[in-house]
Amino acid sequence: MNLGIFNRVNLKDSAQNKGMYSEWTSLSSFVQNNPEASQSVLEKFGITTSKEVTLSIVHHLAGNLGISQPPEPSPLLTDSEVQWCMEVLCYGLSLPLTEHEAIKDCVNVYCEWLSALLPNVKICVPKPVCDDPNLYARKIIKHFHYLFIPRKGEDWSFLYQDIGLDTINRQAVLCHRVLRTLQQVAHESSTLESSTWESLLLFLLAINDTLLAPPTVKDDVADQLCERVLSVLFEVWLLACAQCFPSPPLWKTLRECCMNWRHRTALIEQWNRVNLALTSKLLLFMYGPTFPELKIGEDDLIPSGMTNDCIAQSWYRFLNTIGNPVCLTKPEVISQTQKFLQFAISQNGGVTDPCHHPSLQALPLIFLKAMKGVAGQVDAFLGIAQPLSWEAMVMGVGSDKIKEPVPTVSTPSAHSPTPPAQRRLAKSFSVAPSSVTKGIPKTSLMGLTSSRASANISNSVPSSGPSSTSSISSLTSLSFDTKILKLAPGRPKCNSILHLFGEWLFQAAFIGTDLSHRHENKRPSSIIMENSKGSITYSQPGSLTEIADLPPSITIDKYESGRAETLGTLCRIMCSKKTGEEILPVYLARFYLAVQQGLKVPPNRECGECMVAILVNSSDLFRVDLDGVRILLPAFISALEIVLPDRDLKLKSYVSKSDLRRASINLLLSVLVLPLHFQNIVIKELHSGCSDRLVTFGELKPRIMNLVMSALQAETDPQNTHMLLGGLFLCVQDSAIYEKVEQVMQPSTDSSSNLLTSVSDTASTVSAASSSDHHSHTDSLGPDLSDIPPDSAHALFVRATYLVCHQLISSWKTDLNTSLAALELLSGLARIHIKDSDALERKRAVKWLCDYIIHQCSRPPPAHSKDLHSTIVAAFHCCSIWLLEHPYLLRDKDCLTTILDVAELGVSGTKSIGKPGEEVKMKEDKELKPVSMRVRDAAENLLMLILEQVGYFPSECGPESISSLLDEVSLLQHCNSCPTDCSNQEKAVEKFRYFVSEGSVMLALLEEPLGNDQDPQPTVTVLIRGPFGRHAWTMQLRHLPRHRSGTKYHATNLGRPVVMHDTPSRPEIKQKYFPDSVERVPQCKVDQSIPSLESVFANDEAASAETCKLAQLMNKQAGAEACLTAAQSLVQAPECTPPSVVHEFQTARLFLSHFGLLNFDTVSEKEETASHLIALDSSESEFCRDLTILDNMSSRTCDTVHIFYVKSQQTSAQDIVGNMLQTNNICPYFLEFIKSLGWPIDVNSHPGWTGHLSTSWKIGATSNATQDQTSGPFDGQTQVLYWADACSEIAFVVPTQIKPQEAQKESSFNSSNLSYWNERNYAETSGRDKRTLSLDLDKQSVPLRRPMLRCNLHPHTNTKIMVVWLESFEDHLNVPISDLLNCMNTGLETSATRVCDVLVIGLHLMASGLLRVHLQGPVSRVGLASPLVDGMIINRRCLGPLVRHTAINMSRRRRLDSENYQPPHVRRRLKIQEIVQKYKREMSPPELLTYLFSKP
């Protein structure tokens, strides 16, 4: 069913007697004069006589009821007897209130007699009444009217005196008894006739009109019974609709009466109650059970027997019972009733204007409640209504969500009402017992709540009217939770809702404005659009709607809260527009006018309620392709300039400042790209006289940039800060690409001073904040932008870097998500290369990052947690990006020193150079105590990037690989001694010697020279496999430099040297053993102490014999030598020749020795066993397999993004992936987008990540496959889009087919067969020197150990990321993610992926050429990554980089949040250590040396 069936607006003229009931006669006169037609016959007699008769008869009849004694059968047996007694009872009900007991007896008698209509008739009911209960019931109902009306000769004003308060309370109790009985009869009776129903309804109308039509008087019976009589009227009326639908005259009478009661707050509350209850039933059958249910806790209010048509008719009729709610803002209309005129005439001082009655002071609150009721129904149709309790809906009882104190108004002390508030609020008004708190908790629908104080204010009328703020501020609750306000997919069109409620909403939206008279009582069709300078005028002449002399409490400005509620409702309606839906231009024009008026900045620049309501409810206003909506851009920017820069914003309403700022930031994110997108297009005026001059979109850019900066500086909420950081990066990225593509620089504008002023303000603020920190920055005076165009990319880059770095150190360092978002922004800024930028700015950013790391590491131990360490790891990665993108920073000595100090701090936990005055610590003297293992790994990664990649990336291999593309097979193919067709890895491995140094670096040594080297120098080829990749080196042992050893001699005989013919003479020299002077020294006895040799021989025969033998041997040897000399003199000596060239040098041994890897100068046995070099046995059968696994471990992170194109209303996964097979039918901007994500690569020859494990990291592969005719261009089979830097690589795949689940299971990665390795075991068996930058920590110094993990290839890197291009934005709710997961297999899956874990980036192309972003993902500690933010509007030129950065950051955050994630270099190191344990040769140093001297 379409809402068009209700497209009939209730038109009214000045007399309010026309409209949808204009052809029917009203029964208002009968209602007002009903008591005169049912007077008792006792009225003909004197008061004394009639009273005596009545008292005696009534007392006797009441005695048979069983109240004080057991009931007895009634003595009345005939109709005449019963009718005579009824005349007495009728008179008794009209007795003065002082005769309370008599009146009470009359009420009891009639209430008991009405049980004749119930299934169980009481015994005291007369027989004639039982025989014809409907006839007597109609008479009884007419007689009951006397109970509710003033007595003749009595004026209600005397009840102000204290002596009448008790009397009023007792009368109220009797009235409650009658109403309860009638309500029970209506609920339970099955014998009611149509005439009885009509009498009952007319009676309820009459008593309501009697009590409610007069102006409100505090504490009279009407004041106490107001809510009760209205609730009974509406509940019984609903019962009549279900059982005997009221006639049009009754409906017309109800409407006319309700319009006379509009000064009563209870009327609007009950009207809201009934309307919302009917709306909940209406939605059920109009939109089905899948539509969001409107839960109000009033399930028993609507009779179960009502048909759908009955509900629809009743809903529309009840909706129009109070007329136009906007009339509540016009006291002159509300007071134009007979009762108010009687009051004006009856005043002692003469005729008084009815508008001055004190009861009208509640009109601002009444109007607010009425508009909240309308807003609640609108929200119900949009599917965003929240649960609502009965008390909150009807009485305005305070919601649990409102925590602020409610302003109170001083009122006279009131007595305790009768019945008490508990009874008045209880749902026991209907006979069926139920609890007030039944069902739904006490939450509010659209802030349709107030506190008990505000409810009291609405029911009391102090002499001085309450101020607008005090009476309605507690009811203005716009701070609803935006997370649960999701629009229903099956919601009606905006035009349908506006056809129903548009007239009321638009009129209410212009209250108090200069344009209000133009919209007075105007239907949309009567508005004339005139094209005069882009303005809109109206043909309706001005009407006298304002009274010059009104009490201050009801002037038009006091209705701002109701107007704010209306503007918020209109904004929600417009923001619910679907893709492709059209809204009538007349509605858009009136809406734009209303919003512009609501956003007007007051002279005091305060944030009014209307501005708050518009901002809170307009988050999607610039996202839904409303025609001409950008005409409101200047007005919204002016409003945002009030809200966002002010940290101490004062609000009149109780909306949360954080929610208001979040909504404002959403608006800001949706307009950031408009200035550069539309550039010099002029923003037209909405109506004449709107502004002094026309502005262009480009002129608004400085104001928008200032807003982003000032909002970020003032923001304290982490989620809001995250959004602003994403917006700030978008500004810089968009400006940089725009200037690069367009090759223009924005000229300086008049508003340049604002931007520079904001820079100085930022500098002063953050400098003050930074001064409180213990870090001091020498360059904290702020950047000098005097020579930079203020809105250029360079200026934005400098300001963004400066502001974010300062805030990161001073304010954001304690929040994980904010810190990660800030570091992601800085990483993105590092990748933006702006022409003519200063290196000093980059150096300053790196220094701030290092200071941030130092500060985080130096925090006290209780502050250290996983979140803190995650921020440090992210900061190290950010430093890496800055150095990789700007390698010239390392040429600066200070910058290099700072970086290395931070790396040392991360690896060891302390710095060698401490504070001034502290002693410098050498590495061998330091105790290795890093902050955590994760921090140490991040610091090592930074250090290795500095040593290996900074300034060298991309290498000769290209960005696809940071490792060498050579392996054993490819190296042997270039050797002369090996066959050229050598492709067997096992045979190739046999030619290499394998060693492991330091437990983490594997060396493969080839001692054969390569074929392209003819120089016979000692040559060794080394394949180095370490934690950070694979590298190939060829080294030669040279005694001379290459430039001096270029001349080579290859002659076989160098020739003898020239003979010297002149032989020099040899002088004869006698050898002296002592100087000549020794002969002249006289001898002494000591000289004779050593005996001579001869004397020894004479005395020792044995010595003599040995001496003789020795002499013989000497003589024999002398003879032999003499013979040899004689023989040689006869032989010709051979010529000397040089030795042959040696090609085998045992270069492996030379290399290991020269590089200090062979060290046998050890003393202790312990050091001998702890050799730094370990030989591996490469002959094992599994060695080649483990070597291949190691080579397939990338030293960079790898991620995959799958891209899908979803046509309008597509829900089948097969259809979605099939869209890429016919690229002619898809948006060309989509193809432009995917090509901007990376560069195409061939899967079959690509050496890096391809999106699937089975085709990634190939070495030496060639492309031989031909492209399948049924496959798309980048589906992963032949080609993918690829992007990489030195730290990460990412593949973008556009699937074209869904693989069966069985095939996926076979190709999925299985890690169960990988061996288990614990780093601690290896650390205990192989210790090493602390002076090396070892990846293992000393056992005694650091108690930290890694968790016992299995060395998986890629644990916890299987992040599923989808990019979905949506032709219709609403289709993001129906994307079949679970089915599309079947074509997102990467080979890394270890378990099934849950749908809730998939990260989705939705992109919707708007009519303006901009794109709307939708982010969807699991709620986790780290949240969604930046720079893209949900709801952001971006343009096509920066779409690719933003999506790519967001996808990489999403995966990086997942890895940070994972408990067991291992960085790539750690995984490779653990695999090398595993290989060591499996294949190491147990050798002593001599055995190792022997192994090196032997051939392999």
Side-chain angles (χ1 to χ4, degrees), residues 733-888:
Q733 180 82 69
D734 189 29
S735 297
I737 298 178
Y738 171 79
E739 293 178 4
K740 182 178 180 181
V741 173
E742 303 294 336
Q743 295 182 353
V744 297
M745 294 295 292
Q746 294 294 332
S748 179
T749 61
D750 296 338
S751 57
S752 61
S753 59
N754 294 334
L755 191 67
L756 295 176
T757 302
S758 179
V759 172
S760 60
D761 292 343
T762 303
S764 60
T765 301
V766 296
S767 297
S770 178
S771 62
S772 61
D773 192 81
H774 66 274
H775 290 284
S776 61
H777 298 278
T778 59
D779 49 359
S780 62
L781 298 178
D784 183 11
L785 302 179
S786 57
D787 299 331
I788 304 175
D791 55 352
S792 66
H794 188 188
L796 293 176
F797 176 86
V798 174
R799 293 185 61 198
T801 306
Y802 185 85
L803 176 60
V804 172
C805 288
H806 266 292
Q807 292 290 92
L808 183 63
I809 294 177
S810 61
S811 304
W812 299 340
K813 56 181 176 288
T814 57
D815 184 79
L816 172 64
N817 282 309
T818 306
S819 296
L820 293 180
L823 293 169
E824 289 166 356
L825 180 138
L826 292 174
S827 299
L829 293 178
R831 292 189 171 101
I832 299 177
H833 295 270
I834 299 176
K835 186 179 180 181
D836 299 331
S837 59
D838 189 3
L840 181 62
E841 301 159 2
R842 274 80 176 174
K843 176 184 174 182
R844 183 187 296 116
V846 173
K847 181 178 182 297
W848 276 326
L849 286 172
C850 294
D851 288 344
Y852 173 77
I853 295 174
I854 294 172
H855 179 272
Q856 295 292 76
C857 292
S858 61
R859 294 181 67 181
H864 282 258
S865 62
K866 179 183 177 181
D867 290 352
L868 176 65
H869 298 161
S870 295
T871 60
I872 300 175
V873 172
F876 271 113
H877 175 77
C878 186
C879 282
S880 303
I881 299 298
W882 277 90
L883 296 177
L884 288 168
E885 296 293 333
H886 308 282
Y888 53 82

Side-chain angles (χ1 to χ4, degrees), residues 3 22 25 45 48 79 344 451 641 654 713-714 764 795 895 903 998 1226 1304:
L3 282 180
S22 59
T25 303
F45 303 98
T48 305
D79 290 338
S451 68
E641 287 174 338
Y654 282 146
Q713 186 175 340
S764 60
C895 185
E998 299 297 335
I1226 63 178
Q1304 294 180 23

